Amino acid sequence: PSILLNNYYEGSDGNIYVRDLKSANFTNCIIDGSLSTEVSFQDQKLGLFNYTFNHCQLKIDPNEDMDSLKYLNSIIKRDPAAKSKISLILTYPGVKAVFFHKVANFFHLAGFHLLARVISQITRFFTGIEIHPGAKIGKNLFIDHGMGVVIGETSEIGNNVTIYHAVTLGGISPSIDSERQRHEKRHPTIGNDVVIGSGAQIIGPVKVGNGSLIAANAVVVKDVPDNVTMVGVPAKIIKSSNQGEFRPYGVDEKVKDE
């Protein structure tokens, strides 16, 4: 079968590189009439359009399976209610939402924007979680419970982030001068190891630093440094130098006392 892919370019080593198809190989491909024994797809940027690969056999790097196991194990470490990996796959809406976002994001990057949005909206219907196909998501994102979570188009999320239900990563006044905003960064950038408590709203192209904790129902409208706890409306720093174990809902006993 023919496989139509976008955003490719030919590297100096003769391989064809495509953005965001990580660690996969196509073997025995006919490319423009020439037989290629292996075409590597790695996490690269840039590219041209509409390159067709015929008669390809897909090989998946075994490390991809290891990444999936690490992802599920990372959730078990953060959720005492998680009893097994199979329960995560079958019953956790956040796991399904992240998986189908990968599918939607692939089609979004390939230029099939309508199809990507359809996948996103179907996922929203079944999970209650809305992730725009254009959002960039790192490894081990755990969306716990998930109902009402909204992640906007230009959002960027780092590794090992935990998000609880009713969280919004949104823009500022999207209905005002929409055309100008269409090609701008409008949504937050979340660092690594961040915890965002239920009901928190992070608004605009702000940056949340690594290791920071956003308490439940906080409203963040300014940049957040690394390793701090944010509480309130608008959110303010009440604790700095967060260190140590994961804190569910972005709070600990000291924050409760304060």
Side-chain angles (χ1 to χ4, degrees), residues 184-200:
E184 293 182 351
K185 168 76 169 168
R186 310 186 305 279
H187 301 96
T189 297
I190 310 299
N192 299 326
D193 303 303
V194 171
V195 179
I196 306 175
S198 56

Side-chain angles (χ1 to χ4, degrees), residues 208-229:
V208 176
N210 297 332
S212 288
L213 311 176
I214 311 300
N217 294 316
V219 177
V220 177
V221 293
K222 295 182 180 180
D223 288 352
V224 176
D226 293 349
N227 302 310
V228 300
T229 298

